[in-house]
């Protein structure tokens, strides 16, 4: 079995940057990634798509090509199409590629598993035609596919960017329906302070809004009472805004109210997590190098806390440097010397977060959905069900999962976990920390029994 | 199957024939299967085993499992699959199992 | 005194007993653990199972048979009371065999037990072809099976939910998130929790699963119980593939195939391991080859609550009269007996079942 100094999960900005740097320091590195090509979600398919539609997607996207290029020439063993489904002590990483199970052993592991969209449970959000704005981005980046009649719903700069790209491509969204209010934005201005990056974000956002206005994209703010209508698929979005009821007929609804760390891998290792009120999600507890309370396990990028692509890149490098030092490749002095400029960039990039978190708060009615709203897409469990389980004594998500199956389906709680914690915390009058989160176990992603069985030692012995 | 697709395709790629639920479809070779099916006008990829509700792609990044389809008897995420010639795609677990 | 009874443990065992006591007009307080407690009630295999139990102690076989016979009525009553059914199927279950020798060996043992039970042990042996008629997906490596007609399976999580709901509906006081730190008996019982909560009652039932090993000795019990890890798999929901349950696999009412289970002596470690999962998958595919294409969606390790001989322990404390230890490995199978029969034993009525063989006297002082 292969044994490496460092195994990295995820070939987004954090994983790619960390892999290239660690390899440059002489470490043996394996980079496992689910996608066929490096880039992660933010730079999805950048090597192919930058040439085709780089103009449309902008320089923030095409920057990813520098990372994929560095990765290509690094000597890193980049295993694409590898779905990691277990990480055990030692560390043993089990994964599936092309329908075969395999394992790699690593002295240290960097989890660079990125973010997922914050679940946005609204009435009708499970209908075909309702997708995340991130999904819309992926459709455009990877496939050059655009929704003809879409409504964008929620909050955050990604909505503006998506709308502007759609406009430039000749398929403007029917409307931009924001749940944030003008006072959210005004209140957030106080947090801009001297953060130059913050002003840049703000101006960029205002620039995009001006572009959308020129392009005739209708915008609503402070929308409430959101519901997606339709029987077999999304047919319309209804909501209230500006004291009026609205109904917009559409084929596609793109939802977005921020992204949250994808914590499945970190949780499966039992890493301690803490509730972060500003980002309204759990974050893994890490030291200044990104190392967790499970020695040898590092987390970087959005899976360590939402910071965006630039933060991910530098945090990945920081973790890789620390791994190099721990593996005896560089001295402490060298570590500190090389880390200093990375930390400076990180501080600069992170200074904008308080502004963004305040300007674009999550949609309140999706954080505490109405009783009838489905919150677990897989097992079709409603918010009311979870409140009922609280009344039957469920103090945390694991007992609620046993009572009503929320989190038991194939997505393994990715799109209901935060909602279940929030609902139980509210119903029980407890903090999210005291309420806790799902106990995440292998398989991190489904694996066929055939793939599993083929890794059975006795079966292998018999075959030999 | 609704063939007036709500999605617009901007790339031109060579096409191959696949079948979805028994019906032939021409999809771009090497394309993301979920994106290709959406563009071909397939909105609902499956019915849930819980209530029978229709579902289609939601996250496009392998996290939500709403775009599940069946290929060679195995439930796979369409958004994590590439289009190849002759692919036989079914709605998951609608047919009977072979007694084999 | 706040209630007649305090139940230490809010799992299926504790809640079944509490439910039975409430049904006969007793008042109860149930102290339940937190979200992360080791909970066999959440991790078990869901069988309502008779065969293979009590091979060396016919009374255990009888006790299991008795509970299995009460189960349908018990489940129906809970379902009616809570408005949500507790799925149960009792159409028999298999012990699958991969060699003629092991099949014959087991049949011989069953025949001995059958005789001791006066013939009440309804099983039949199915050869491969007969089995295949019953289970079209059975694999060629399975030479045959013992079909025991008293076996079946339930949805153990719906049982847990129904008990939690109905104990409350019947007026039971259930306190969750509690870890009991001390039990004393100045006159009546005082049960103290780590968070300072104190409850008082006339009697106490210790039904805390593995927690009984630490609390038991202070209450006059030997409580020689240990954890044994069982790793369990469950697949995506599938069309009907398995008709009757076996120890290898069963199809749950929601559609998933549940596959069990390892037997590992690893202390209080409830993690899953790749070798464990792979081995279970290989066994399941040997039994049902179609499972090779099924997606595993969840797995877990649960800790069995085992006594040295695997039998339940029902013990009245000698040093703390009014304190009872109730612990067993098969909390699902025995749930109906615990709900319907055990209250008579706790109350000391004429109708009390004879549980002498399950007392701690069987554990010799070494």
């Amino acid at each position: 079995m292969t044994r490496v100094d460092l195994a990295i999960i995820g070939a987004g900005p954090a994983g790619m940057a960390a892999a290239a740097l660690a390899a440059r320091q002489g470490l043996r590195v394996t980079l496992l990634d689910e996608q066929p090509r490096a880039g992660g979600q933010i730079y999805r398919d950048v090597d192919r798509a930058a040439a085709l539609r780089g103009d449309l997607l902008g320089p923030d996207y095409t920057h990813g090509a520098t990372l994929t290029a560095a990765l290509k020439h690094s000597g890193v063993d980049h295993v694409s199409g590898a779905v990691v489904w277990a990480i055990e002590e030692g560390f043993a990483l089990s994964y599936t590629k092309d329908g075969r199970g395999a394992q790699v052993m690593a002295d240290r592991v960097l989890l660079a598993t990125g973010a997922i969209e914050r679940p946005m449970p609204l009435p009708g959000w499970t209908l075909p035609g309702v997708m995340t704005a991130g999904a819309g981005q992926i459709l455009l980046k990877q496939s050059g596919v655009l929704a003809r009649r879409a409504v964008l719903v929620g909050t955050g700069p990604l909505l503006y960017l998506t709308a502007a790209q759609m406009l430039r491509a000749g398929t403007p969204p029917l409307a931009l329906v924001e749940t944030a209010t003008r006072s959210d934005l005004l209140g957030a201005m106080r947090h801009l302070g001297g953060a130059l990056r913050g002003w840049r974000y703000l101006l960029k956002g205002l620039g995009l809004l001006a572009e959308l206005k020129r392009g005739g994209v209708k915008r609503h703010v402070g929308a409430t009472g959101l519901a997606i209508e339709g029987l077999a698929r999304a047919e319309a979005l209804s909501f209230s805004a500006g004291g009026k009821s609205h109904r917009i007929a559409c084929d596609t609804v793109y939802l977005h109210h921020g992204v949250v760390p994808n914590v499945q891998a970190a949780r499966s290792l039992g890493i301690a997590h803490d509730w972060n009120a500003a980002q309204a999600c759990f974050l893994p507890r890490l030291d200044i190098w990104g190392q967790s309370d499970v020695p040898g396990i590092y987390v970087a990028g959005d899976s360590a806390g939402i910071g965006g692509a630039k933060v991910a890149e530098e945090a990945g490098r920081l973790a890789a440097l620390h791994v190099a030092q721990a593996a005896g490749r560089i001295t402490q002095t060298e570590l500190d010397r090389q880390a200093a400029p990375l930390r400076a960039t990180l501080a600069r990039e992170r200074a904008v977060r308080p502004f963004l978190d305040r300007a674009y708060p999550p949609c309140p009615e999706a954080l505490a959905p109405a009783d009838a709203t489905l919150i677990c897409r897989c097992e079709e469990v409603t918010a009311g069900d979870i409140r009922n389980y609280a009344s039957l004594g469920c103090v945390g998500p694991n007992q609620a999962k046993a009572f009503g199956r929320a989190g038991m389906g194939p997505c393994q709680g990715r799109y209901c976990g935060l909602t279940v914690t929030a609902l139980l915390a509210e119903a029980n009058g407890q903090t999210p920390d005291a309420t806790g989160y799902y106990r995440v176990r292998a398989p991190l992603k489904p694996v066929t029994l055939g793939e599993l069985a083929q890794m059975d030692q006795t079966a292998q012995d018999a075959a030999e | 199957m609704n063939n007036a697709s709500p999605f617009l395709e901007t790339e031109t790629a060579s096409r191959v024939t696949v079948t979805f639920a028994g019906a032939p479809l021409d999809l771009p070779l090497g394309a993301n299967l979920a994106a290709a099916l959406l563009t071909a006008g397939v909105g609902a990829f499956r019915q849930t085993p819980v209530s029978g509700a229709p579902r289609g792609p939601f996250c496009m990044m392998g996290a939500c499992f709403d775009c599940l389809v069946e290929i060679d008897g195995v439930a796979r995420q369409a958004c994590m699959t590439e289009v190849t010639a002759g692919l036989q795609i079914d709605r998951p677990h609608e047919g009977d199992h072979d007694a084999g | 005194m706040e209630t007649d009874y305090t139940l230490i443990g809010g799992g299926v065992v504790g809640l079944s007993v509490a439910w039975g006591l409430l049904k006969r007009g007793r008042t109860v307080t149930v102290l339940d653990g937190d979200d992360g407690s080791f909970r066999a009630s959440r991790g078990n295999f869901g069988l309502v199972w008779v065969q293979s139990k009590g091979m060396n102690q016919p009374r255990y076989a009888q006790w299991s048979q008795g509970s299995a016979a009460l189960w349908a009525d018990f489940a129906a009553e809970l379902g009616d009371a809570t408005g949500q059914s507790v799925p149960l199927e009792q159409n028999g279950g298999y012990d699958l065999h991969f060699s003629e020798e092991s099949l014959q060996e087991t049949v011989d043992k069953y025949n001995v037990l059958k005789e001791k039970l006066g013939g009440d042990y309804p099983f039949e042996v199915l050869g491969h072809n007969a089995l295949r008629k019953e289970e079209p997906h059975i694999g060629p490596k399975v030479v045959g099976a013992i079909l025991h007609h008293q076996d079946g399976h339930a949805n153990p999580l719906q049982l847990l939910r129904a008990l939690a709901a109905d104990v409350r509906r019947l007026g039971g006081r259930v306190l969750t998130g509690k870890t009991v730190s001390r039990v004393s008996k100045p006159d009546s019982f005082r049960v103290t929790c780590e968070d300072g909560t104190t409850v008082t009652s006339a009697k106490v039932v210790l039904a805390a699963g593995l927690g009984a090993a630490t609390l038991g000795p202070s209450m006059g019990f030997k409580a020689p119980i240990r954890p044994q890890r069982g790793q369990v798999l469950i697949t995506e929901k599938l069309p009907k593939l398995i008709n009757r349950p076996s120890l290898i696999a069963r199809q749950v009412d929601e559609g998933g195939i549940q596959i069990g289970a390892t037997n590992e002596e690893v202390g209080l470690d409830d993690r899953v391991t790749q070798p464990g999962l792979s081995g279970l998958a290989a066994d399941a595919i040997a039994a049902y080859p179609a499972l090779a294409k099924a997606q595993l969606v969840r797995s877990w390790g649960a800790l069995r609550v085992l006594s040295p001989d695997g039998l339940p322990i029902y013990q009245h404390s000698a040093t703390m009269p009014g304190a009872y230890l109730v612990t067993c490995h098969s909390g699902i199978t025995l749930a109906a007996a615990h709900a319907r029969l055990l209250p008579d034993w706790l109350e000391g009525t004429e109708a009390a079942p004879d549980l002498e063989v399950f007392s701690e006297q069987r554990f010799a002082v070494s």
Side-chain angles (χ1 to χ4, degrees):
Chain A
M1 200 178 303
T2 322
R3 181 158 200 112
V4 297
D5 299 310
L6 175 64
I8 300 174
I9 304 176
M16 290 192 291
L21 190 151
R24 205 161 59 233
Q25 302 293 343
L27 295 175
R28 232 182 130 192
V29 183
T30 287
L31 172 60
L32 301 165
D33 186 59
E34 291 180 343
Q35 292 295 331
R37 289 168 294 276
Q41 304 309 330
I42 191 79
Y43 304 129
R44 178 96 166 222
D45 229 357
V46 65
D47 286 346
R48 206 180 65 87
L52 293 169
R53 45 189 161 269
D55 291 352
L56 187 62
L57 294 166
D60 285 349
Y61 173 73
T62 53
H63 168 75
T66 63
L67 291 171
T68 55
L71 176 67
K72 225 169 282 166
H73 301 111
S74 64
V76 167
D77 177 28
H78 170 205
V79 188
S80 60
V83 180
V84 176
W85 47 264
I87 310 165
E88 293 174 72
E89 61 190 12
F91 297 96
L93 291 85
S94 301
Y95 64 95
T96 301
K97 179 180 163 67
D98 300 330
R100 305 246 341 143
Q103 244 179 6
V104 59
M105 302 291 298
D107 290 346
R108 292 177 180 79
V109 178
L110 171 63
L111 308 176
T113 52
I116 63 167
E117 293 261 352
R118 180 189 298 283
M120 197 163 167
L122 295 172
W125 75 308
T126 54
L127 286 167
V130 183
M131 303 172 79
T132 66
Q137 283 280 291
I138 292 163
L139 282 171
L140 176 58
K141 288 173 187 170
Q142 184 183 15
S143 310
V145 165
L146 288 143
R148 295 176 200 264
R149 296 174 67 238
V151 178
L152 274 52
V153 187
T155 178
L158 183 71
L159 283 184
Y160 302 159
L161 179 66
T162 303
Q165 289 172 350
M166 292 174 76
L167 176 65
R168 289 170 207 160
T171 54
L174 302 177
L176 175 60
V177 179
E178 291 189 63
T179 57
T181 61
R182 291 189 209 284
S183 60
D184 286 326
L185 185 62
L186 292 172
M189 302 276 281
R190 295 188 290 112
H191 294 268
L192 276 173
L196 210 59
R197 287 283 300 162
W199 289 100
R200 262 187 53 202
Y201 260 96
L202 183 63
L203 291 175
K204 204 166 166 182
L206 293 174
L208 289 171
L209 282 175
E211 184 184 348
L212 293 174
K213 194 170 182 179
R214 281 197 306 275
V217 175
K218 182 100 178 124
R219 180 177 176 229
H220 302 269
V221 295
T224 58
L226 295 154
I228 299 131
E229 299 175 8
L231 289 173
R233 55 167 300 113
E235 289 164 13
L237 174 83
S238 61
F239 61 96
S240 298
K244 276 193 279 189
S245 296
H246 300 264
R247 185 180 185 277
I248 304 173
C250 59
D251 292 328
T252 305
V253 177
Y254 284 144
L255 301 175
H256 176 77
H257 66 151
V259 296
V260 294
N262 176 2
V263 296
Q264 299 297 113
R267 285 278 182 186
S268 79
L269 283 153
I271 289 170
H273 284 66
D274 299 299
W275 182 256
N276 182 294
Q279 295 200 351
C281 61
F282 287 103
L283 304 183
R285 196 179 297 162
L286 305 171
D287 69 13
I288 57 163
W289 303 102
Q291 187 167 205
S292 72
D293 61 348
V294 178
I297 300 282
Y298 296 72
V299 191
D302 274 358
S303 51
I306 303 308
K310 289 296 288 177
V311 167
E313 192 179 323
E314 303 298 30
R317 293 192 177 113
L318 207 55
L321 277 180
H322 194 257
V323 170
Q325 189 265 336
R329 302 295 171 134
I330 58 171
T331 62
Q332 179 71 46
T333 319
E334 188 59 18
L335 170 65
D336 291 336
R337 192 188 67 77
Q338 291 198 40
L342 300 179
R343 288 199 193 288
T345 311
L346 280 172
R348 211 161 50 238
E349 292 289 331
R350 280 176 177 149
V352 71
R353 292 315 308 181
F355 164 71
L356 290 176
D357 293 337
R358 288 294 296 265
Y360 305 106
C363 165
E365 57 197 63
L367 288 184
D371 278 351
T373 305
L374 285 182
I375 58 97
C376 168
R377 301 173 63 91
C378 297
E379 295 290 342
E380 302 183 48
V381 181
T382 66
D385 291 333
I386 300 299
R387 293 186 177 107
N388 178 42
Y389 301 141
S391 77
L392 293 182
C394 292
V395 291
N398 294 294
Q399 192 80 340
K401 178 179 177 180
F403 276 36
R405 301 188 63 80
M408 281 192 183
C411 103
Q412 293 150 321
R414 284 169 172 83
Y415 283 102
C416 69
L418 285 173
T419 312
V420 170
T421 294
L423 289 169
L424 290 175
E426 187 193 30
N428 291 320
Q430 297 268 22
T431 63
D433 277 320
T435 303
Y437 196 74
Y438 290 135
R439 166 99 181 253
V440 177
R441 291 178 175 276
L444 295 172
K445 294 194 92 175
V447 49
T448 70
L449 293 180
E451 289 156 1
L452 264 179
Q454 156 251 315
M455 291 172 75
D456 182 41
Q457 199 52 51
T458 48
Q460 284 172 14
D461 293 347
E464 278 160 15
Chain B
M1 209 175 295
N2 170 18
N3 281 315
S5 171
F7 290 90
L8 173 73
E9 198 173 11
T10 61
E11 270 186 41
T12 49
S14 60
R15 294 190 172 251
V16 291
T17 303
V18 306
T19 60
F20 180 78
L25 284 177
D26 288 336
L27 302 183
L29 178 65
N32 180 295
L33 178 59
L37 287 173
L38 284 174
T39 328
V42 180
F45 285 28
R46 66 183 183 111
Q47 273 80 45
T48 65
V50 178
S51 72
R55 290 287 169 86
F58 177 70
C59 78
M60 286 301 292
M61 51 180 274
C64 77
F65 292 81
D66 266 324
C67 68
L68 287 176
V69 293
E70 187 174 306
I71 297 168
D72 294 334
V74 180
R76 300 281 185 202
Q77 293 172 293
C79 76
M80 303 293 282
T81 305
E82 291 190 354
V83 174
T84 52
L87 208 57
Q88 290 183 23
I89 309 147
D90 287 299
R91 300 188 196 277
H93 308 307
E94 284 203 331
D96 288 326
H97 281 267
D98 300 330
Chain C
M1 243 168 0
E2 294 159 300
T3 49
D4 297 325
Y5 284 84
T6 298
L7 274 295
I8 303 176
V12 165
V13 174
L15 289 172
S16 297
V17 175
W19 186 84
L21 288 167
L22 287 162
K23 280 282 178 185
R24 54 183 64 212
R26 296 290 164 246
T27 55
V28 305
T29 300
V30 179
L31 299 173
D32 191 20
D34 62 35
D35 199 48
S37 302
F38 292 118
R39 289 179 183 272
S41 295
R42 287 200 310 231
N44 68 82
F45 203 63
L47 297 178
V48 177
W49 210 247
V50 168
Q51 70 171 310
S52 81
K53 286 181 177 159
M55 302 303 291
N56 301 313
Q57 177 47 267
R59 176 70 186 115
Y60 181 36
Q62 268 176 347
W63 183 237
S64 301
Q65 286 174 315
S67 193
L70 292 168
W71 237 98
D73 183 60
F74 169 60
E77 187 174 348
L78 275 175
D80 289 346
T82 60
Q84 246 183 305
S85 73
V86 178
L88 170 75
E89 271 186 12
Q90 289 183 297
N91 304 322
Y94 302 113
D95 183 23
L96 301 177
H97 285 267
F98 294 91
S99 82
E100 296 288 356
E101 293 73 31
S102 79
L103 177 60
Q104 191 54 50
E105 210 174 287
T106 310
V107 169
D108 293 345
K109 280 194 229 164
Y110 282 15
N111 278 324
V112 173
L113 181 60
K114 183 172 187 167
E115 197 167 318
K116 287 184 191 162
L117 293 169
D120 177 20
Y121 205 63
F123 72 91
E124 59 184 296
V125 181
L126 304 182
H128 178 82
N129 291 337
L131 178 59
R132 201 180 174 101
K133 283 206 182 75
E134 301 291 314
E135 300 291 335
H137 292 282
I138 205 78
K141 289 181 183 163
V142 180
V143 301
I146 301 173
L147 168 59
H148 197 297
H149 294 287
Q150 290 172 329
D151 287 335
H153 60 149
N155 184 322
L157 299 179
Q158 288 309 302
L159 171 65
L160 178 63
R161 181 202 47 78
L163 284 169
D166 214 34
V167 161
R168 284 171 171 80
R169 187 187 64 87
L170 293 168
R173 182 169 71 138
V174 185
L175 307 177
T176 52
K178 303 295 174 194
T179 302
V180 173
S181 52
R182 186 160 178 265
V183 179
S184 62
K185 196 188 178 196
D187 37 45
S188 62
F189 281 94
R190 288 177 64 83
V191 180
T192 310
C193 303
E194 277 177 4
D195 66 358
T197 308
T198 297
V199 301
T200 59
S201 58
K203 292 183 173 183
V204 169
V205 179
L206 180 56
L210 293 170
T214 42
L215 270 178
S218 71
M219 299 167 67
F221 302 113
K222 295 188 182 107
I225 51 178
R226 70 174 198 284
Q228 186 192 61
R229 183 168 72 189
Q231 297 188 45
V232 178
L233 318 184
I234 194 149
T235 70
E236 62 184 317
K237 295 178 170 73
L238 295 170
K240 194 72 183 164
L241 194 134
I242 296 176
N243 290 319
R244 291 195 185 95
S246 71
L247 294 167
I248 292 177
R250 72 184 188 105
Q251 189 155 19
V252 304
D253 57 286
E254 294 101 346
I257 309 279
Q258 191 171 4
I259 296 161
T262 58
N263 296 276
E264 301 167 90
E265 302 291 337
V266 290
L268 293 174
D269 177 354
D270 70 347
R271 290 177 294 183
V272 294
T273 65
Q274 177 270 319
L277 302 184
S278 288
L280 291 171
D283 290 349
I285 291 168
Y288 302 95
L291 287 178
K293 292 188 170 185
Q295 294 280 5
L296 171 75
V297 293
R298 286 183 294 129
S299 73
W300 61 91
L303 302 178
R304 296 182 184 87
V305 182
L306 279 187
S307 65
D309 58 8
L311 271 56
I313 302 173
Y314 304 112
Q315 178 69 46
H316 185 202
S317 173
T319 60
M320 231 183 226
Y324 300 82
L325 172 63
V326 175
T327 184
C328 68
H329 159 232
S330 298
I332 304 304
T333 299
L334 296 178
H338 291 163
R340 301 275 202 219
L341 308 178
L342 213 59
D344 276 314
W345 176 72
L346 295 169
E347 293 280 285
T349 71
E350 295 271 310
D354 178 7
L355 300 175
E356 195 50 39
V357 300
F358 302 118
S359 82
E360 290 192 329
Q361 282 170 14
R362 68 188 196 266
F363 309 120
V365 181
S366 56

